[in-house]
Amino acid sequence: MSRYVPDIGFEVHAQLVTRTKLFCSCPNEVGGEPNTRVCPVCLGLPGALPVLNASALDLAILTALAVGGGMADVTRFARKNYFYPDLPKGYQITQYARPVATGGRFEPPGGPPVRIRRVHLEEDAGKTVHGPPGSPSLVDMNRSGVPLVEIVTEPDIHSVEAAGDFLKALSRALVFLGVATGRMHEGSIRFDTNVSLRTPDADGRGTQTEIKNLNSFRAVSRALVFEIERQTDVLERGGRVRHATLAWDEAQDRAVAMRSKEEESDYRYFPDPDLGPFQLAPERVERLRSHMPELPARAAERLRTAHCLTDEQIEVIAADPHVLSLFDRAARALDRPDAGAVLANWVVGPVIALAHERGVGLEELPEALLTPGKLAAVVRARYDGVVSEPAARVLLKAAAESSESVDELIERLGLTGVDDDDLRRTVERIVESHPEEAARWRAGERKLLKHFVGLVMRETGGRADPRRAAELLESALEAG
Ligand code: ADP
Ligand code: MG
Ligand code: ZN
């Protein structure tokens, strides 16, 4: 155990899901041929005038509502002045004195709440692409002007593990809100972290360093472990931590010095004369509040109380808004109030497995693979005992492939259960034709029952109910 307590804070940047960029009508999409999604505004050409994208502002308001932020009456943009090759206009448009919201808190499930300092909008910069040593670096401006929402926390987190829990829960909430895609490998959500150390009884906090450029939960956790160790080492030797900005080098698994800490005054912030101010009308905020999508914590609670799902089922279904929506729509179509947990088993198991097998993303699952109505029909056929468990699995795959209705498929594939008298005759025939195994079962080798059930299932083409087959087998074996 270390003698020091870490204080950890985050700046979370999420790329907003909008059709166009923040201040121009260029498409807001990831990737593409370099410098093809650009215009005078996002290239920063002199004289070009930015126009605020209203849906980006709505998504920032939605984010602020989700963390209970105090909404500004008037919000405005500022210029943050610095030079970098991927920022040719010499300043980033961000928010400074008048962010969309200030204050708030976010509570990860089971974790302590973290205070939120502010929520604001800003534009992303372009991307510098470094070639092999000796070759020139190139700039791709497709990302320039992409809308970001930034959420700044207070340094209320005190362990690497709690930091991960917090970021995962917050990111998940942003995806449920429809604010971000959550595709981390595309840079959908990115983090800067600030960390300092102090002794448990210290009055104030220690001096923090900031680590930028963290694109995954894993990178955040590796970076914090690295930096906490480094600061511990400095303090143990009687040294002082210097206020600095570091960049995380994923490949080398270490933080490298970027620059000594800049001061706010270095950026010469001033209100952007080309934009705003913008009124946040209470009606606008209320309209967004009343249409706010369900957040993961609320969804988990609902699945527990309304459908009695287990923690394991909830963990999968409430992890992804697309899976949740498939479950909810199928549950409504299923029309069997007690079958929620049965449906959940199908979603968590065979349905997700099928999507992976076919290479279908969870977001396109209902359109590409299985409508909620079809899923409900398969589960209903099983729940009502129309088909056996193995037959229902066959049915699910068939339903995903065919445009026929589930009822038609049951008919055409002959998946209805086997008539009980037929099944009894089949069982007796099988027991008679395997006298040696039957004798071993009677002598106590009970695990042979499984073997017999397998034979019955093969004989009936998977249509028999294995549980009923086992029952009939046991009495036939005993009688024999
Ligand atoms: P700075 O002005 O140095 O950038 P701020 O006070 O603006 O610092 O805070 C920026 C981020 O750093 C916030 O996320 C905040 O939670 C975090 N932070 C501030 N002070 C500390 C500290 N002593 N230790 C760890 N994190 C801190
Ligand atoms: Mg800062
Ligand atoms: Zn543009």
Side-chain angles (χ1 to χ4, degrees), residues 81-146:
N81 298 283
Y82 64 97
F83 172 75
Y84 208 72
D86 58 27
L87 190 73
K89 72 179 181 293
Y91 60 87
Q92 178 196 26
I93 306 178
T94 178
Q95 298 197 301
Y96 186 59
R98 297 204 168 247
V100 169
T102 44
R105 53 168 28 206
F106 184 82
E107 200 169 329
V114 174
R115 284 169 303 158
I116 303 294
R117 189 179 285 183
R118 55 190 272 142
V119 174
H120 73 242
L121 269 171
E122 62 186 30
E123 58 175 354
D124 212 341
K127 223 181 204 163
T128 307
V129 186
H130 301 284
S135 67
S137 291
L138 301 169
V139 176
D140 175 8
M141 294 294 283
N142 282 351
R143 203 179 65 181
S144 170
V146 162

Side-chain angles (χ1 to χ4, degrees), residues 216-432:
S216 67
F217 303 119
R218 192 190 115 84
V220 169
S221 140
R222 300 291 310 153
L224 283 172
V225 167
F226 173 91
E227 184 55 13
I228 289 170
E229 266 175 31
R230 190 192 66 82
Q231 289 187 18
T232 303
D233 210 51
V234 170
L235 297 175
E236 297 277 88
R237 291 155 188 258
R240 280 174 42 202
V241 172
R242 296 231 315 273
H243 204 181
T245 303
L246 312 170
W248 181 246
D249 185 334
E250 182 95 54
Q252 294 196 59
D253 206 37
R254 59 193 291 261
V256 292
M258 221 165 124
R259 49 183 184 246
S260 66
K261 181 69 190 176
E262 68 286 347
E263 297 296 323
E264 280 187 355
S265 59
D266 294 339
Y267 289 120
R268 306 292 187 271
Y269 283 97
F270 66 88
D272 192 317
D274 291 341
L275 283 158
F278 298 92
Q279 305 270 352
L280 298 185
E283 305 82 69
R284 180 182 194 162
V285 175
E286 284 319 305
R287 177 175 51 79
L288 288 162
R289 192 197 304 276
S290 63
H291 290 98
M292 191 152 109
E294 187 180 45
L295 289 171
R298 170 74 59 81
E301 196 44 44
R302 182 171 58 75
L303 293 175
R304 195 181 327 275
T305 52
H307 296 290
C308 303
L309 302 197
T310 64
D311 288 347
E312 291 74 22
Q313 291 172 329
I314 291 170
E315 180 52 33
V316 176
I317 292 174
D320 186 297
H322 304 102
V323 177
L324 178 65
S325 144
L326 176 68
F327 174 86
D328 280 334
R329 287 153 68 197
R332 246 171 282 137
L334 181 56
D335 197 28
R336 297 285 184 280
D338 297 329
V342 175
L343 171 64
N345 273 341
W346 279 87
V347 172
V348 168
V351 173
I352 290 182
L354 192 63
H356 288 322
E357 198 183 295
R358 302 286 161 86
V360 171
L362 295 177
E363 69 280 5
E364 49 187 358
L365 207 152
E367 286 71 32
L369 207 59
L370 204 61
T371 62
K374 268 193 173 177
L375 171 58
V378 172
V379 175
R380 193 186 310 117
R382 174 64 198 127
Y383 186 76
D384 293 349
V386 176
V387 297
S388 69
E389 187 72 23
R393 302 222 172 200
V394 172
L395 186 59
L396 183 80
K397 291 201 172 188
E401 255 147 37
S402 161
S403 57
E404 284 168 273
S405 77
V406 167
D407 283 345
E408 285 166 345
L409 285 168
I410 294 174
E411 262 318 298
R412 182 165 68 74
L413 301 174
L415 292 175
T416 43
V418 180
D419 173 82
D420 209 53
D421 288 333
D422 285 348
L423 184 59
R424 194 186 308 267
R425 276 192 288 279
T426 306
V427 161
E428 281 163 4
R429 190 153 29 80
I430 286 173
V431 171
E432 268 166 36

Side-chain angles (χ1 to χ4, degrees), residues 6-12 115 117-118 150-157 192-197 204-210 231 243 245 261-264:
D7 291 313
I8 302 169
F10 285 101
E11 289 157 293
V12 176
R115 284 169 303 158
R117 189 179 285 183
R118 55 190 272 142
E150 175 169 340
I151 303 160
V152 183
T153 78
E154 295 293 339
D156 285 350
I157 301 168
D192 298 340
T193 186
N194 279 263
V195 56
S196 61
L197 298 183
R205 301 196 185 97
T207 304
Q208 82 266 32
T209 55
E210 176 170 8
Q231 289 187 18
H243 204 181
T245 303
K261 181 69 190 176
E262 68 286 347
E263 297 296 323
E264 280 187 355

